[in-house]
């Protein structure tokens, strides 16, 4: 027998497909992966510590920088957590606008997922088409809040400013174009036999393993577990909308892609229903200028972020700044399933697995 | 019209006559003409590469709905010049413990082999540098020498990732040699000769792409793999672990590798248009213009394929070659044999 | 047939090869920016009342101001205002909370500079703000010069301030009044009072333009009186 040695190589943190600043230490035996250990922490910005020296209202822009690809979703999670803590009720119109913005952010995040998966596999054109379509959503965000990506549009108690008149027609035309967009991705990417061969059967994750590791979001749904916080524990006004949860069957990379693709379509449905039901009214509840929740009260509020369960744990000590704020980041937990999923596969599949687990390092490292 | 058609042939005839009038013996005159033709080929290659790099960037840009380079010169035509100047002014780094001779020779060998491919290509009516009677065989066998150059590059770099990349690349190229050669056998069987000018002449009535469509497709796929291009560029892709065999090269040596790849691309495209698209035959325009047009059409096809498809994984690549392409080409040969038998039986 | 997916993909890319390009050629063509675009911050110096809300609200210490108390009128006036853009998150908290609407976002997004020090912008008090308005005198026409207005310079400023406060009160009473009372509910009650009784509004405005402490005392007194009255009404009703 030939004597062979195991090789340890480092993928990243500076790498074209590292999704941020992810460092994966891969131990190889020839072409087969023995272990793939993720090392995170290159993008740590001590956001949780900063929260202890900012008032509740001042911290809102920082939350947008956590999952920077799902623009409004982490902000919605935070303001809803604070409203739960202090018992503030949000007006109806603000709730509907939050739903519209949240679902648009989800579509944008999934579009970027498809694009970055395409370029990681070598189809550069796929990335550019996804980015071009995502520009429409960014233009809509720019219309309302003035910022494309890191919009600080939510405030405690509601929304900063009301919608401009050109927003609603733009959203309607975007939602109408979603089926055409999906058809184009189908033709260029999903229907491509090479694409399918690269993704089908790669990186299988069983349902028990997924639940044991705490994987949530589209990755969990791809394994066959039908769990979506919007349906299991509805927050805000999600119980008024009629939508389905796409569920995969195999838990491989192809299912993760298809689940996200289907979620884009379902988000489109939610947006349409929200647009039809949008009431007039105020957009912001009256919150005292100096905002002090009760002493000793703590709350854990979770929402369905674009990557999974995004949770905020806030402890108040009666002052105007939180005593402790912890963010349960879905990307951090999802990444821990990377070794399990990559073992036994080939080296090129590590790239595919990272891409389909969809980590955002800003969120994973906070 | 006739004058433009036979411009280059007339020029070379006049040149030999002039040299003879100066008292140079015929053999020497032929040798000097050959030398000048070699230089012309090098000039053609350089011109083509310059256009090709620009064309690739423009085509990829247009496919992605953006204009590509458009700042330097009208429509960005001087972009290649800028890139070449930048690469020339870079520091020439040779890592310390490398095998210097092999490291330096690898790109030179690659380029030389690629240039040698142009000798047998017919660039117009009676316009070949050397009309070998085994022209096609010469072309295919030289094409397989490029693997040595790549292996030299990988070994000479003293870097395990380069060696890994080079070995993968060599495995890929060797696997695709067989379908490459086999798919051309159909054409040879119909023509009955390996001489390239005969093959062009045999396409008087109908182009071979209509008689041998499967051979066209399999040769196209095998050639893409040979060129390390398009969906088969796993060994040298950026999103993979390393840049493959070219990691340690910098500046002009790196440029030379890529120039050699583009040279190979033009040669293969010219061969494809010669074998399947009728070569220099075509109405109304001079023959050397026709082959340029057809070559560029085939190159556009290569680029179109590259910018649409994702990369094929290494094991799928090998499986595809051995389990799919080789049987298909063998079936093609058998079918061509049958077809010829029936055709000769009918035609007499 | 194996391969149709590949051909469909190629058809899509070919279609886009011949389509219109969506790139904006940047320095020659400027992108169309929506109205609410957040570019560089700027302040309208004359409107600023040096309340300091923006500096306290900013999460990143981008804004800082230098103020002084005017000797004559005992009001705060702004001496200089510094915006340090390198830390700005463009979160809009400062613009939103400014009571006199003097901070705005412009549409200027080309903020690159060669030195870090150049990003800081300091606005100094223009000397014209402290000048006495010039006397208008006819040249040698023989007529007596037009009498200057009865009011002194300070009184003129006070009148202007009262007018501004009146319009602010009409537009958004709760926001303005919440500075003089303890809670939002009290501000709401006070707003109702002054809407009902215009003379009380004028008295309050005069005090606000003059003396903040006294204005606060009077406002709280109004509110307490109203609260007692309402309580008596509900008790009487039961």
């Amino acid at each position: 027998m030939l004597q062979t040695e195991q090789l340890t190589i480092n993928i990243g943190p500076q790498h074209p497909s590292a999704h941020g600043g992810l460092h994966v230490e891969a131990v190889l035996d020839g072409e087969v992966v023995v272990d793939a250990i993720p090392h995170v922490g290159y993008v740590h910005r001590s956001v949780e510590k900063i929260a202890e020296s900012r008032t509740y209202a001042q911290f809102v822009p920082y939350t947008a920088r956590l999952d920077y690809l799902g623009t409004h979703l982490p902000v919605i999670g935070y303001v809803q957590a604070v409203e739960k803590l202090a018992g503030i009720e949000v007006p109806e119109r603000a709730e509907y606008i939050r739903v519209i913005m949240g679902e648009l952010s989800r579509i944008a995040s999934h579009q970027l997922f498809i694009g970055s998966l395409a370029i990681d596999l070598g189809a550069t054109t796929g990335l550019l088409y996804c980015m071009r379509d995502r520009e429409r959503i960014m233009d809509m965000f720019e219309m309302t809040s003035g910022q494309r990506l890191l919009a600080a549009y939510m405030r405690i108690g509601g929304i900063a400013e009301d919608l401009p008149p050109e927003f609603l027609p733009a959203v309607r035309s975007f939602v109408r174009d979603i089926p055409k967009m999906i058809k184009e991705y189908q033709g260029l990417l999903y229907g491509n036999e090479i694409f399918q061969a690269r993704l089908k059967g790669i990186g299988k994750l069983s349902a028990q393993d997924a639940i044991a590791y705490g994987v949530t979001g589209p990755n969990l749904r791809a394994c066959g577990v039908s769990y979506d916080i919007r349906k299991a524990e509805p927050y805000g006004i999600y119980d008024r909308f009629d939508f389905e949860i796409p569920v995969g069957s195999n838990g491989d990379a192809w299912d993760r892609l298809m689940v996200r693709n289907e979620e884009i379509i379902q988000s489109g449905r939610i947006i349409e229903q929200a647009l039809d039901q949008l009431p007039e009214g105020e957009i912001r509840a009256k919150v005292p200028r100096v905002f002090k929740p009760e002493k000793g009260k703590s709350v854990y509020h979770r929402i369905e972020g674009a990557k999974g369960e995004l949770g905020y744990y806030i402890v108040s000590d009666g002052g105007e700044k939180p005593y402790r704020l912890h963010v349960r980041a879905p990307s951090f937990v999802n990444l821990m399933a990377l070794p399990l999923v990559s073992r036994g596969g080939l080296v090129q599949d590590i790239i595919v697995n990272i891409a389909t687990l969809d980590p955002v390092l800003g969120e994973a490292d906070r | 019209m006739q004058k433009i058609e036979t411009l280059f042939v007339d020029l070379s005839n006049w040149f030999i006559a002039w040299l003879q009038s100066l008292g140079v013996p015929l053999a020497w005159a032929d040798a000097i003409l050959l030398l000048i033709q070699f230089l012309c080929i090098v000039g053609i290659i350089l011109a083509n590469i310059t256009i090709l790099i620009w064309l690739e960037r423009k085509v990829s840009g247009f496919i992605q709905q953006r204009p590509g380079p458009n700042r330097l010169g009208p429509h960005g035509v001087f972009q290649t010049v800028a890139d070449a100047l930048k690469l020339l002014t870079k520091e020439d780094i040779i890592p310390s413990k490398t095998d210097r001779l092999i490291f330096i020779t690898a790109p030179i060998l690659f380029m030389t082999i690629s240039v040698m491919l142009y000798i047998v290509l017919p660039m117009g009516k009676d316009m070949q540098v050397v009309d070998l009677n085994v022209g096609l065989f010469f072309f295919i066998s030289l094409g397989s020498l490029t693997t040595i150059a790549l292996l030299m590059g990988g070994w000479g770099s003293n870097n395990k990732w380069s060696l890994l990349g080079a070995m993968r690349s060599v495995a890929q190229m060797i696997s695709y040699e067989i379908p490459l050669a086999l798919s051309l056998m159909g054409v040879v069987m119909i023509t009955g000769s390996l001489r390239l000018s005969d093959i062009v002449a045999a396409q008087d009535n109908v182009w071979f792409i209509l008689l041998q469509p499967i051979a066209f497709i399999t040769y196209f796929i095998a050639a893409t793999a040979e060129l390390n291009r398009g969906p088969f560029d796993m060994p040298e892709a950026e999103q993979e672990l390393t840049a493959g065999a070219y990691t340690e090269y910098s500046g002009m040596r790196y440029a030379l590798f890529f120039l050699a790849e583009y040279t190979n691309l033009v040669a293969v495209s010219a061969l494809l248009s010669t074998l399947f698209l009728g070569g220099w035959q075509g109405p109304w325009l001079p023959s050397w213009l026709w082959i340029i047009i057809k070559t560029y059409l085939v190159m556009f096809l290569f680029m179109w394929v590259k910018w649409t498809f994702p990369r094929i994984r290494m094991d799928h690549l090998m499986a595809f070659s051995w389990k799919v392409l080789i049987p298909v080409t063998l079936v093609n040969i058998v079918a061509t044999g049958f077809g010829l038998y029936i055709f000769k039986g009918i035609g007499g | 047939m194996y391969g149709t997916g590949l051909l469909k993909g190629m058809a899509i890319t070919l279609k886009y090869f011949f389509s219109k390009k969506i790139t904006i050629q940047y320095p020659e063509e400027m992108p169309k920016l929506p109205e609410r675009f957040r570019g560089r911050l700027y302040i309208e110096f004359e409107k600023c009342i040096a309340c300091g809300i923006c500096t306290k609200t900013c999460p990143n210490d981008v804004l800082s101001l230098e103020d002084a108390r005017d000797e004559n009128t005992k009001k705060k006036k702004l001496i200089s205002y510094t915006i340090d853009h390198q830390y700005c998150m463009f979160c809009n908290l400062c613009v939103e909370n400014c009571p006199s609407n003097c901070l705005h976002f412009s549409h200027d997004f080309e903020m690159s500079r060669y030195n870090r020090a150049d990003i800081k912008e300091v606005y100094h008090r223009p000397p014209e703000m402290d000048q006495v308005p010039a006397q208008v005198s006819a040249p040698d026409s023989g007529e007596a010069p037009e009498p200057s207005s009865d009011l002194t310079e300070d009184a003129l400023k006070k009148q202007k301030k009262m007018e501004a406060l009146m319009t602010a009160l009409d537009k958004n009473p709760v926001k303005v009044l919440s500075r003089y009372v303890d809670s939002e509910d009290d501000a709401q009650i006070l707003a109702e009072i002054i809407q009902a009784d215009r003379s009380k509004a004028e008295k309050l405005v005069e005090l606000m333009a003059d003396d903040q402490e006294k204005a606060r005392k009077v406002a709280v007194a109004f509110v307490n009186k109203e609260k007692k009255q309402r309580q008596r009404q509900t008790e009487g009703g039961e």
Side-chain angles (χ1 to χ4, degrees):
Chain A
M1 256 327 269
L2 274 176
Q3 188 196 18
T4 54
E5 225 179 67
Q6 284 182 351
L7 208 60
T8 308
I9 54 174
N10 292 317
I11 306 178
Q14 287 164 327
H15 192 92
S17 67
H19 286 267
L22 177 63
H23 172 201
V24 174
E25 188 189 325
V27 180
L28 307 174
D29 183 9
E31 283 270 334
V32 175
V33 174
V34 170
D35 206 356
I37 309 163
H39 295 282
V40 297
Y42 287 88
V43 197
H44 180 66
R45 296 164 288 175
S46 48
V47 161
E48 297 182 356
K49 182 71 185 169
I50 289 179
E52 293 174 15
S53 54
R54 301 280 183 276
T55 64
Y56 290 94
Q58 275 180 335
F59 188 65
V60 170
Y62 286 91
T63 50
R65 275 108 177 121
L66 282 174
D67 174 9
Y68 38 77
L69 294 175
T71 322
H72 288 109
L73 284 169
V75 190
I76 293 178
Y78 173 70
V79 295
Q80 282 182 341
V82 176
E83 284 154 11
K84 205 165 158 182
L85 182 67
I88 302 173
E89 212 182 286
V90 181
E92 287 275 309
R93 186 174 165 89
E95 291 271 24
Y96 276 96
I97 295 179
R98 277 187 187 171
V99 165
I100 295 176
M101 291 301 185
E103 295 304 316
L104 278 175
S105 312
R106 199 186 303 272
I107 295 180
S109 172
H110 288 329
Q111 272 178 325
L112 187 76
F113 165 82
I114 298 174
S116 68
L117 180 64
I119 196 173
D120 281 346
L121 291 179
T124 323
T125 326
L127 174 73
L128 287 169
Y129 291 168
C130 291
M131 288 303 210
R132 175 203 62 199
D133 294 328
R134 195 164 164 258
E135 285 292 311
R136 289 179 70 176
I137 301 185
M138 312 257 251
D139 284 340
M140 283 190 258
F141 289 159
E142 207 182 9
M143 266 186 239
T144 52
S145 69
Q147 300 254 69
R148 281 153 47 102
L149 192 61
L150 298 168
Y153 185 56
M154 310 287 158
R155 300 276 183 260
I156 299 178
I159 297 191
E161 288 171 307
D162 208 342
L163 303 170
E166 56 263 18
F167 180 73
L168 289 171
V171 179
R172 281 205 192 271
S173 88
F174 177 74
V175 171
R176 257 199 309 266
D177 286 339
I178 287 183
K180 203 170 62 146
M181 194 175 82
I182 301 282
K183 201 156 149 253
E184 191 176 276
Y185 296 159
Q186 170 78 30
L188 181 67
L189 298 171
Y190 315 150
N192 198 318
E193 279 90 359
I194 305 175
F195 207 75
Q196 290 174 358
R198 280 305 290 269
L199 289 178
K200 284 194 175 154
I202 306 291
K204 273 199 184 358
L205 186 63
S206 69
Q208 294 101 312
D209 282 333
I211 299 178
Y213 272 77
V215 172
T216 49
N219 297 327
L220 178 65
R221 294 197 273 281
C223 304
V225 180
S226 165
Y227 181 69
D228 186 331
I229 300 179
R230 292 175 290 175
K231 286 257 196 229
E233 253 184 58
Y235 52 93
I237 48 168
Y238 271 103
D239 41 6
R240 299 188 204 171
F241 299 114
D242 170 37
F243 61 99
E244 284 163 18
I245 313 175
V247 171
S249 44
N250 291 335
D252 62 356
W254 179 253
D255 276 345
R256 286 182 223 135
L257 171 67
M258 282 294 121
V259 161
R260 285 182 173 89
N261 183 45
E262 188 62 32
E263 277 194 8
I264 295 181
I265 303 176
Q266 296 299 322
S267 288
R269 271 176 75 182
I270 298 180
I271 296 176
E272 248 186 271
Q273 291 169 35
L275 283 175
D276 291 331
Q277 296 174 22
L278 186 66
E280 300 296 323
E282 284 182 355
I283 51 169
R284 207 162 165 186
K286 293 203 196 320
V287 177
R289 184 178 288 276
V290 179
F291 174 66
K292 292 189 185 165
E294 233 177 271
K295 179 173 172 141
K297 200 155 172 224
S298 68
V299 75
Y300 176 68
H301 177 73
R302 55 202 188 126
I303 63 161
E304 179 74 19
K307 321 282 190 263
E309 173 185 324
L310 179 61
Y312 285 89
Y313 175 64
I314 309 183
V315 178
S316 147
D317 65 348
E320 53 178 23
K321 305 185 181 169
Y323 177 69
R324 169 83 172 108
L325 184 141
H326 173 70
V327 178
R328 189 258 185 216
S331 303
F332 182 67
V333 183
N334 290 351
L335 260 186
M336 297 303 129
L338 183 67
L340 180 69
V341 160
S342 311
R343 267 183 219 136
L346 293 184
V347 176
Q348 290 108 35
D349 295 334
I350 298 183
I351 310 276
V352 169
N353 289 334
I354 298 176
T356 49
L357 281 177
D358 200 11
V360 169
L361 267 297
E363 197 178 49
D365 292 340
R366 273 153 281 157
Chain B
M1 213 26 140
Q2 195 58 23
K3 278 297 207 180
I4 305 182
E5 164 70 37
T6 55
L7 179 65
F8 297 106
V9 180
D10 288 342
L11 213 61
S12 41
N13 283 339
W14 168 86
F15 186 69
I16 291 198
W18 176 68
L19 279 182
Q20 281 195 305
S21 71
L22 289 181
V24 180
L26 186 57
W28 279 94
D30 272 338
I32 296 176
L33 182 64
L34 210 59
L35 203 63
I36 296 188
Q37 281 175 336
F38 285 156
L39 290 174
C40 284
I41 290 214
V42 173
I44 292 175
I45 290 176
L46 287 177
N48 263 326
I49 291 174
T50 320
I51 299 177
L52 198 59
I53 297 180
W54 170 81
L55 191 67
E56 167 115 54
R57 291 174 73 160
K58 277 303 238 195
V59 165
S60 76
F62 275 37
I63 288 181
Q64 294 162 0
Q65 275 196 299
R66 55 186 178 89
N70 63 348
R71 292 266 162 205
L72 295 174
H75 292 289
V77 289
F78 297 135
Q79 183 71 37
T80 321
V81 176
D83 283 340
L85 280 176
K86 176 203 80 164
L87 282 170
L88 275 172
T89 56
K90 274 207 195 290
E91 183 189 348
D92 181 25
I93 303 176
I94 303 185
S96 56
K97 295 222 180 68
T98 56
D99 196 331
R100 278 187 85 102
L101 187 63
I102 296 187
F103 187 81
I104 296 177
T105 324
I108 303 176
L109 186 64
F110 204 159
M111 190 70 184
T112 316
I113 297 175
S114 307
V115 170
M116 277 163 68
L117 290 171
Y118 283 71
I119 301 180
V120 290
L121 285 176
M123 291 186 236
K125 197 165 162 54
D126 298 328
M127 288 203 281
Q128 278 166 291
V129 178
V130 178
D131 195 9
L132 284 181
N133 57 349
V134 284
L136 190 59
F137 184 61
F138 179 79
F139 194 94
I140 298 176
S141 50
L142 266 189
S144 62
L145 276 183
T146 51
T147 51
I148 298 186
L150 211 58
L151 204 53
M152 282 166 71
W155 178 262
S157 302
N158 190 33
N159 182 344
K160 49 185 154 165
W161 316 138
S162 302
L163 190 59
L164 204 70
M167 294 214 296
R168 276 183 177 176
S169 185
V170 164
Q172 172 185 315
M173 285 162 94
I174 292 183
S175 310
Y176 279 87
E177 290 284 331
I178 305 181
L180 194 86
L182 285 181
S183 46
L184 296 181
M185 289 302 114
V187 169
V188 172
M189 282 163 73
I190 297 182
T191 318
S193 143
L194 285 171
R195 195 194 287 261
L196 281 173
S197 48
D198 282 349
I199 297 179
V200 173
Q203 293 185 60
D204 267 341
N205 303 326
V206 58
W207 288 355
F208 282 158
I209 189 173
L210 297 169
L211 294 179
Q212 297 265 303
I214 300 184
F216 180 77
I217 296 176
T218 52
Y219 184 77
F220 185 81
I221 297 175
T224 324
E226 281 295 306
L227 296 167
N228 266 342
R229 223 194 122 77
F232 301 95
D233 60 354
M234 179 69 77
E236 63 183 40
E238 304 131 23
Q239 282 89 13
E240 303 305 319
L241 303 177
T242 56
Y246 311 145
T247 324
E248 296 288 342
Y249 286 90
S250 63
M252 208 55 204
R253 295 184 204 281
Y254 183 73
L256 210 54
F257 265 119
F258 278 99
L259 294 185
E261 278 196 7
Y262 278 124
T263 315
N264 235 336
L265 173 67
V266 178
V268 166
S269 307
L271 189 77
L272 258 176
S273 44
T274 309
L275 289 177
F276 292 99
L277 295 178
W280 41 257
Q281 288 173 338
W284 189 62
L285 283 176
S287 62
W288 41 269
L289 205 56
W290 265 120
I291 193 151
I292 293 178
I293 295 175
K294 289 180 192 175
T295 309
Y296 271 84
L297 273 176
V298 176
M299 284 200 287
F300 175 70
L301 194 63
F302 272 108
M303 289 180 196
W304 184 16
V305 165
K306 171 180 174 144
W307 289 104
T308 311
F309 296 142
R311 237 168 259 128
I312 301 188
R313 212 174 64 182
M314 210 61 204
D315 55 338
H316 291 156
L317 207 148
M318 306 294 246
F320 185 65
S321 163
W322 292 94
K323 295 191 207 169
V324 175
L325 275 190
I326 294 184
V328 165
T329 47
L330 288 173
V331 163
N332 183 39
I333 293 178
V334 171
T336 313
F338 268 129
L340 277 176
Y341 186 68
I342 296 173
F343 184 70
K344 287 220 171 74
I346 298 177
Chain C
M1 188 189 87
Y2 185 87
T4 40
L6 301 172
L7 292 173
K8 247 193 248 171
M10 285 175 73
I12 293 180
T13 41
L14 192 67
K15 180 184 84 165
Y16 280 113
F17 183 81
F18 294 111
S19 70
K20 195 161 113 66
K21 310 288 162 277
I22 53 178
T23 319
I24 301 179
Q25 304 285 3
Y26 165 55
E28 292 92 22
E29 293 173 30
M30 284 301 197
K32 281 175 69 87
L33 298 171
E35 198 191 307
R36 297 190 191 175
F37 182 77
R38 293 181 196 168
R40 203 161 47 88
L41 271 172
Y42 69 95
I43 183 173
E44 294 180 57
F45 209 90
E46 297 77 31
K47 288 196 194 167
C48 177
I49 56 173
C51 61
I53 288 184
C54 54
T55 52
K56 287 192 213 99
T57 313
C58 178
N60 267 342
D61 298 331
V62 172
L63 309 167
S64 53
L65 56 80
E66 206 183 290
D67 59 0
R69 204 164 269 284
D70 198 349
E71 317 80 35
N72 306 336
T73 57
K74 298 278 183 291
K75 289 170 299 186
K76 280 209 219 160
K77 65 177 184 179
L78 187 68
I79 303 291
S80 80
Y81 195 82
T82 312
I83 305 179
D84 193 358
H85 271 109
Q86 58 177 321
Y87 301 116
C88 182
M89 280 200 285
F90 299 96
C91 61
N92 207 25
L93 285 171
C94 56
V95 174
E96 229 174 72
N97 289 319
C98 177
S100 44
N101 252 332
C102 58
L103 263 181
H104 302 282
F105 281 114
S106 66
H107 280 197
D108 176 22
F109 52 86
E110 292 156 325
M111 290 191 280
S112 311
R113 304 279 183 267
Y114 286 101
N115 301 320
R116 222 178 248 272
D118 291 341
I119 298 186
K120 218 188 264 213
E121 280 173 12
V122 186
Y123 293 80
H124 292 286
R125 190 181 185 78
E128 302 89 59
M129 275 181 82
D130 293 322
Q131 264 174 10
V132 180
Q135 301 264 6
V136 175
S137 57
D140 44 10
S141 62
E143 270 180 36
E146 224 176 54
S148 53
S149 113
D150 292 329
L151 308 166
T152 59
E153 178 235 320
D154 271 340
L156 207 71
K157 273 194 16 191
K158 181 174 163 182
Q159 191 176 46
K160 275 216 190 95
K161 193 159 181 183
M162 278 171 58
E163 285 168 42
L165 277 168
M166 208 57 165
T167 36
L169 262 181
D170 285 333
K171 252 204 304 203
N172 195 348
V174 179
K175 197 170 173 188
V176 177
L177 295 172
S178 55
R179 273 188 286 148
Y180 297 97
V181 291
D182 284 328
S183 71
E184 292 278 338
D185 295 326
D186 288 350
Q188 186 68 26
I189 297 177
L190 193 55
E192 285 163 17
I193 297 175
I194 61 172
Q195 264 166 7
D197 190 348
R198 201 71 188 162
S199 63
K200 284 207 179 116
E202 284 175 17
K203 180 162 183 194
L204 207 56
V205 164
E206 194 182 328
L207 283 171
M208 279 194 233
D210 220 351
D211 184 357
Q212 301 281 358
E213 277 304 310
K214 218 166 170 190
R216 203 166 285 137
K217 281 197 201 131
V218 169
V220 171
F222 276 162
V223 170
N224 288 340
K225 188 162 156 199
E226 181 67 25
K227 275 205 231 174
K228 273 206 199 103
Q229 214 168 20
R230 288 190 184 174
Q231 207 176 20
R232 233 178 287 134
Q233 272 178 351
T234 47
E235 274 175 8
E238 272 174 15

